[in-house]
Amino acid sequence: MNLDLFDHPDFHPHWREELAPGAVVLRGGALKDDTALLAEINRIAGLVPFQYRATPGGYAMSVAMTNCGDVGWVTDRQGYRYQATSPENQQPWPAMPALFRSLAVDAADQAGFPDFQPDACLINRYQPGAKMSLHQDKDEHDFAAPIVSVSLGLPAIFQFGGMERSDKTQRVALTHGDIVVWGGPSRLRYHGILPLKAGEHPLTGQYRFNLTFRTAGSQA
Ligand code: MD6
Ligand code: FE
């Protein structure tokens, strides 16, 4: 066996792990595009900087966020919602890069959701200690469409629960290049991210980035 194979820049190991009906991890699914994805994240953040938004209850989130696509997910004292413009500059969000769209559509297809048409991409940035409490993704108009979630940089523990907040959760380690696709019977499961452990990643430094693609649907 030629062990040099594993050091070759074009070697991108990937495999799938089923989490539950409708939920699959495509391990390494974004590895081949990692550098280009991070360049786009940096470009978008240069246009609309990451923000620590307030929850409706008035707490600052520990995860910093920006968006691209037709609509973006925001939160403030008025609540959670999608809107077509950034609250900071009232301008439309940057367009969803073709690479983002094709990666998300391909991943959804591999997971058994053909015809995924994402119109929103939330970009989350985690620094050490940042977390996402258990929640359901239910601000979208269309629960028939899955969600595609791409992890880059430092590893994190994803909590994957059931339909009730109190249901038992599984813990799934998500590392650089992993893609989670979830929809169908899993679409409304509770989930979260445990506090990020400090570390250093060769491409992202002290951060974890997560892209979540959704079909938010037309907003009233
Ligand atoms: C994160 N992800 O991975 C947060 N939601 O940083 C999510 O909240 C999420 O990964 C729905 C489906 C997949 C996800
Ligand atoms: Fe979520």
Side-chain angles (χ1 to χ4, degrees):
M1 186 165 75
N2 180 1
L3 290 171
D4 291 346
L5 183 63
F6 295 97
D7 289 329
H8 194 281
D10 294 331
F11 183 63
H12 302 297
H14 57 278
W15 65 95
R16 58 189 293 146
E17 289 173 19
E18 312 286 335
L19 288 182
V24 62
V25 188
L26 305 173
R27 296 285 186 193
L31 277 179
K32 68 180 189 315
D33 297 313
D34 60 358
T35 313
L37 291 168
L38 286 161
E40 292 286 21
I41 291 170
N42 285 329
R43 185 181 62 78
I44 292 164
L47 297 169
V48 185
F50 283 103
Q51 301 285 333
Y52 295 96
R53 298 194 180 284
T55 64
Y59 295 97
M61 295 189 75
S62 61
V63 176
M65 300 178 167
T66 187
N67 288 276
C68 63
D70 296 340
V71 289
W73 188 87
V74 298
T75 172
D76 57 22
R77 292 305 295 255
Q78 273 70 58
Y80 304 124
R81 64 190 175 278
Y82 284 93
Q83 59 178 54
T85 55
S86 150
E88 284 66 43
N89 64 11
Q90 328 305 331
Q91 298 296 305
W93 300 101
M96 189 183 296
L99 171 65
F100 281 26
R101 183 182 303 279
S102 61
L103 182 71
V105 168
D106 284 357
D109 194 47
Q110 286 172 47
F113 300 98
D115 310 319
F116 182 44
Q117 291 182 284
D119 58 7
C121 174
L122 172 63
I123 306 175
N124 290 324
R125 187 189 70 190
Y126 294 72
Q127 71 281 339
K131 66 179 171 64
M132 182 86 65
S133 304
L134 277 181
H135 67 278
Q136 290 174 297
D137 287 19
K138 58 179 186 189
D139 301 317
E140 300 73 26
H141 286 200
D142 178 9
F143 296 148
I147 291 177
V148 173
S149 161
V150 178
S151 293
L152 294 167
L154 292 180
I157 306 290
F158 187 60
Q159 291 178 293
F160 180 67
M163 301 302 289
E164 307 287 337
R165 187 183 296 278
S166 56
D167 287 348
K168 191 166 127 359
T169 60
Q170 305 178 45
R171 292 177 174 202
V172 182
L174 294 180
T175 63
H176 180 72
D178 289 346
I179 303 179
V180 183
V181 181
W182 89 9
S186 284
R187 179 64 180 73
L188 289 173
R189 281 179 185 258
Y190 276 87
H191 57 280
I193 293 281
L194 294 181
L196 195 80
K197 285 202 176 136
E200 186 71 26
H201 187 276
L203 292 182
T204 68
Q206 60 173 335
Y207 295 118
R208 169 179 186 259
F209 294 96
N210 172 259
L211 307 174
T212 54
F213 295 90
R214 300 98 186 278
T215 305
S218 64
Q219 302 295 303

